[in-house]
Structure formats: C-alpha cells, structure tokens
Amino acid sequence: MQYVDIDVNHSEGSTKGQFDSGSDSNHNMHTPQVSDEHKPKMGQQFLSLDEAREFYNAYAKEAGFSVRINSSKRSRDNSEILRKEYVCSKEGTTSTRVNSKRKRRRGLTREGCNAKFTVVKSKSGGYVVKQFVEGHTHSLTSPQREHLLRSHRNVSEAKKTLSQRLSTVNILEVQTGGIRSIGCIERDFYIHEKILCSEMRGHDEELLYEHFLSEQEKNVGFIYDIKKDEEDRITHCFWADAKSRRAYNFFDDVVVFDTTYDTNRYGMVFATFIGVNNHCQSVIFGCSFLNDETMESFVWSFEQFKKSMSGGPPKVIITDQNPTMTKAIAHTFPNTVHKYYIWHILNKFSEKLNEVVYRDHYNDFKQCIWDSYSKEEFELKWMEAIGRSMLHDNAWLQ
C-alpha cells in the first residue's frame, strides 16, 4: 500500500480527513484491538474500490463487526464512483414502532454506531482514505462468532460442491474441523441451492434420464422406460429397481395402485404400485409419471409394470373408483381381481346421501361394512340398514 496526499478537489465538504480513535474518554465506546498493519490509515491508497472494500472488511473481521455500504457519490455523467462510504452494520437506528401483524420478532440490528470508512477518487485514478472512525457504540463480536457476521460469510466453490453431495451443514462442520471453520450459515446454503435450481430449470428431463442411466449402471436390475410426444416432451415414465422387483416375487398377492399425488411444477400424475410384506410394512414395487389419467396412459403404465415383474400379474389390485382405470385393468389384467379402496367408498356416502339421512344412518352402513365376517352376515346387515334408512330406490347403494 502507498500513503499519499489526499486530492479531493471534486469531492463534497471539507478536504480535511476525519479520524476518531474511539478514545477511552467515552466509556461507552468500544475500540477494536487490531494490529496496526491491518488498520486503515488516513491517506492510504487503493487501486480500486474492490481492494478498498476487501481491506476494510478484513479489518472488520479481525475487529469483530460486519460491514455494509452506506452511501455512494457518482460523477455527473454517471461514469465513475467519486466517493464510497462503508459503515458498521449497526449504524443508524431501528424503528420502535410495533407492527401487530408481524409474528416474527428480531433483535436490534441498528444501535447508532458511528464507525465508518470513506474513500474518495484521487487524480491518480485510485482511491484514498478520506475518513476513518474507529470507535463503536456497541460491544464487538468474539473471534469464535465472527464467521456468523453477514459480510464475512462466504460459501466457497469447494463447499458448494461438497454441500450438493452431503446436503447437510452438520457434516460440513465435521469435515472442516468445527462450526467456526465453515465460514457461513445454513441460510447461505439455501440461497446457493435456490440459485442452482434456477440454473438447472429446463434441464429436468436430461437430469432424470442421466439419473436412470446412473442407477442402471449400478445395478442391471434397475428398469425404466420413457415415452415422449411429438415435441420431444416426456408424457409417461416408469421405473422399478432391483429390490422392488425382487420383493414383488414374494408379495405379489395384492397390489395397490395409487394416483392421488400430483407433481407441483409439471402437473403430472405420480402413480405408485405398492404391496405389503410379511411384516405388514408397505413395499414399493414400481412408480410412474403420467401426463393424464386416460385409459391409454393407465394401460401403458400397467404394461410396463407387467413387463418388469417376472412373477406375472398381481392376484388382486386395489384402486379408487376411476372408470377409465377400471377399463384399463380389465384390458391389461383380465384375470386379476379388482377391488376399490374402502375409504374411497365410505367417503362417497356424504355425497350420495342427503344430510339428514347421512347423519342418521351412516354409522349403520359403516358398521355393516367393517363388522361383517361373512358374505351372508354382510347381506343381512345391509338389507336391515337399507330398510331402516328407507333407501331401497337409491341407485348408488343398489
């Protein structure tokens, strides 16, 4: 660094620089304990604003406070910056007004701190220090916590790459040797992930295809198929891994086909083939993405499932009461017994019966369904419930 005379002929105010050492005469002032070589000095010259900012930010990190830009002054033609002022992040005051609608309460972020660092343009083309106020009106952060201050947090390229693979700050803490060594907070990783998602937008199809190829390279038992339309957009997708296909060989008695989930961004139907193992745990046999719920889409998904499972079609398949799905099952699995979800049937009672009848007689039908242990017992209880409710002519119940 060079130390030169200040030339501020084009700057506003006095040409005399200001220096405040934060003397001990004011017991409320806190003076940073920083080595002289790292402390800004009047007349100190920098080749660029970036160099000046980096120097003051490095000083602030050692001192224990965060830096932000307070003001700038540009030339009349707006071609260059003539003056730049950096201040402590606690400069100014926080409004004391209470917003009753605000649920989140924050600590004080402004405490009237006067610490500042100002540089002005010199005739030589660089920038020189015109003003340096050293004292702070608040206590400074300890070295163990300075990495949490806003202007000192940084996510390096190595950390970004590592966070993509590990997806957790806790592992980074272990990898770097402690939380202080990470150099940023969890929110910085969220921001990086948001930027990353924005950059990858529009490439989801390629990423999905690459993911499937990667899984197949790991295990040849991984099966997938993708169908596209005339504009080369994915309309159907099916996949099943080796573990799921092996499980189907043991637990193929009953398969639940569930299409109650939609993807947020593309509005595609997420369809799953699910079974139950010998521990009464759910087992996923395969999954599909479908762009609609037409018979053709269901037939395609069922054909892919049948092709991927060596055990043949399921003995029983359970679905909701979708007419096109019923036709597709009859077409693809003609020998499979097709049943409906019991909760789907029970939910329709409120739609098919008027409010009074539903209130007075729903429990009769519910008890009939859940507490019958033979076909004969069910038929008897059902006719009794029909008689009590006087619903002999209800087409849906019939």
Side-chain angles (χ1 to χ4, degrees), residues 53-76:
R53 180 189 59 80
E54 290 173 6
F55 181 86
Y56 188 58
N57 196 49
Y59 159 78
K61 184 176 183 180
E62 185 175 344
F65 68 96
S66 182
V67 171
R68 63 178 175 85
I69 297 173
N70 188 43
S71 63
S72 297
K73 181 181 178 181
R74 289 183 170 273
S75 58
R76 290 184 178 180

Side-chain angles (χ1 to χ4, degrees), residues 167-385:
S167 301
T168 171
V169 177
N170 291 334
I171 298 179
L172 278 176
E173 179 184 341
V174 175
Q175 190 267 342
T176 56
I179 192 168
R180 186 187 175 197
S181 303
I182 295 178
C184 53
I185 61 175
E186 194 172 0
R187 183 172 179 271
D188 296 318
F189 287 98
Y190 291 150
I191 294 173
H192 166 63
E193 289 174 5
K194 188 175 181 180
I195 295 172
L196 193 64
C197 289
S198 178
E199 292 174 350
M200 292 193 301
R201 189 169 297 161
H203 303 281
D204 295 3
E205 179 182 328
E206 299 172 14
L207 293 172
L208 181 64
Y209 182 68
E210 290 175 2
H211 173 70
F212 284 162
L213 286 178
S214 174
E215 291 299 311
Q216 202 168 56
E217 288 176 2
K218 296 175 187 176
N219 195 316
V220 293
F222 182 89
I223 286 181
Y224 73 94
D225 198 358
I226 295 175
K227 182 180 178 182
K228 300 183 179 181
D229 59 13
E230 296 79 8
E231 298 180 8
D232 204 35
R233 295 177 301 188
I234 292 178
T235 58
H236 302 74
C237 176
F238 173 86
W239 70 96
D241 61 26
K243 186 177 180 180
S244 297
R245 296 173 65 203
R246 185 167 59 250
Y248 181 77
N249 292 331
F250 297 99
F251 312 114
D252 63 345
D253 304 78
V254 179
V255 172
V256 175
F257 183 66
D258 190 0
T259 59
T260 57
Y261 305 99
D262 291 337
T263 57
N264 294 335
R265 182 176 297 175
Y266 299 108
M268 298 186 78
V269 178
F270 179 55
T272 56
F273 295 86
I274 301 173
V276 178
N277 65 16
N278 55 312
H279 298 290
C280 295
Q281 297 169 327
S282 296
V283 180
I284 296 179
F285 296 139
C287 300
S288 292
F289 281 133
L290 306 174
N291 68 331
D292 55 39
E293 294 188 79
T294 61
M295 180 177 173
E296 291 74 17
S297 294
F298 289 134
V299 167
W300 184 89
S301 184
F302 295 150
E303 290 290 354
Q304 297 302 318
F305 179 79
K306 186 166 64 174
K307 191 165 38 175
S308 66
M309 303 299 167
S310 59
K315 298 176 177 62
V316 177
I317 189 166
I318 301 175
T319 69
D320 60 22
Q321 292 177 292
N322 187 318
T324 55
M325 195 183 297
T326 300
K327 294 178 182 178
I329 289 172
H331 178 272
T332 315
F333 303 129
N335 299 319
T336 297
V337 177
H338 182 199
K339 298 291 184 180
Y340 295 137
Y341 296 133
I342 191 64
W343 62 264
H344 194 280
I345 296 172
L346 291 174
N347 285 343
K348 285 200 170 184
F349 272 87
S350 61
E351 302 174 15
K352 304 298 182 180
L353 308 181
N354 66 56
E355 293 181 6
V356 176
V357 174
Y358 177 77
R359 181 195 65 198
D360 296 339
H361 298 285
Y362 171 68
N363 285 333
D364 292 337
F365 291 106
K366 185 178 179 181
Q367 185 179 21
C368 172
I369 292 171
W370 285 113
D371 296 341
S372 297
Y373 296 96
S374 67
K375 181 179 180 181
E376 292 74 20
E377 184 181 2
F378 171 80
E379 294 287 355
L380 178 62
K381 289 183 177 181
W382 185 262
M383 292 308 298
E384 290 175 352

